[in-house]
Amino acid sequence: DLHSFPTRRSSDLEPGSGGTKQVGSYFTQWSIYGRNYHVKNIDQSGAAARLTFINYAFGNVYDDGRCNIITRAETGNGDGGDAYADYQKSYDAASSVDGVGDVWDQPLKGNFNQLKKLKARHPQIKLFISLGGWTWSKNFSRFSTTAAARQTLVSSCIDVYLKGNLPVGDGAGGVGAAAGVFDGIDIDWEYPGGGGQPYNTVSPADKQNFTLLLAEFRRQLNVLTSQTGRQSGSRSEERRVGKECRS
């Protein structure tokens, strides 16, 4: 379902926003199941017209230090994923944002395609993939300790979510399948220095390494912008403080 952020103060506005307020929410991957809350509900409720950004929750960084999208039930070790909800589930016309149903062989379906359609209807909305969260922050500490690990982590997340190169499965995915869906990446590390799940990796150097990780996101996002001409942002929500690192 949709979890709202408070409206940001003028000092917190995005560069280039022209002084307008920024209002955002999380849309959770799993809301389409028990709560039966879909992207179309954001549009029909009127919420979409008031939003300027949505964080899609969540993406995972796995034990190989890379972003990926898989379908696997949680084992209690932060190793799950739901590619089906993300981009493989088919929507019929009645449940689709624009009233057009999915066809069997299209490479992008699920929440990603519905969010792409929502952005087309409400072009003021920017969409961020939120990495981590309470369940999937296990590997941030471990893979932010060296420059090489940070480079690999960031490159993999950009490849999957911004370049849109999705693993092929259940008739969906492929090179560039999700290109243009996400406008940036939200880092929801819960939490640097500890206090999260007992299985999370933790280091006394987390504060410094978190800063270096964000710098690496910024560096690679700048390279991507120079290549594509399309600005991409990163956001940090460590301890929900909302420290910003955006283009």
Side-chain angles (χ1 to χ4, degrees), residues 5 26 55 186-188 235-242:
F5 289 110
Y26 280 101
N55 284 354
D186 170 65
I187 313 302
D188 190 3
R235 301 161 50 81
S236 162
E237 301 232 16
E238 175 260 340
R239 297 193 185 276
R240 301 286 188 228
V241 172

Side-chain angles (χ1 to χ4, degrees), residues 180-196:
V181 174
F182 292 100
D183 301 289
I185 298 173
D186 170 65
I187 313 302
D188 190 3
W189 178 349
E190 299 187 20
Y191 302 99

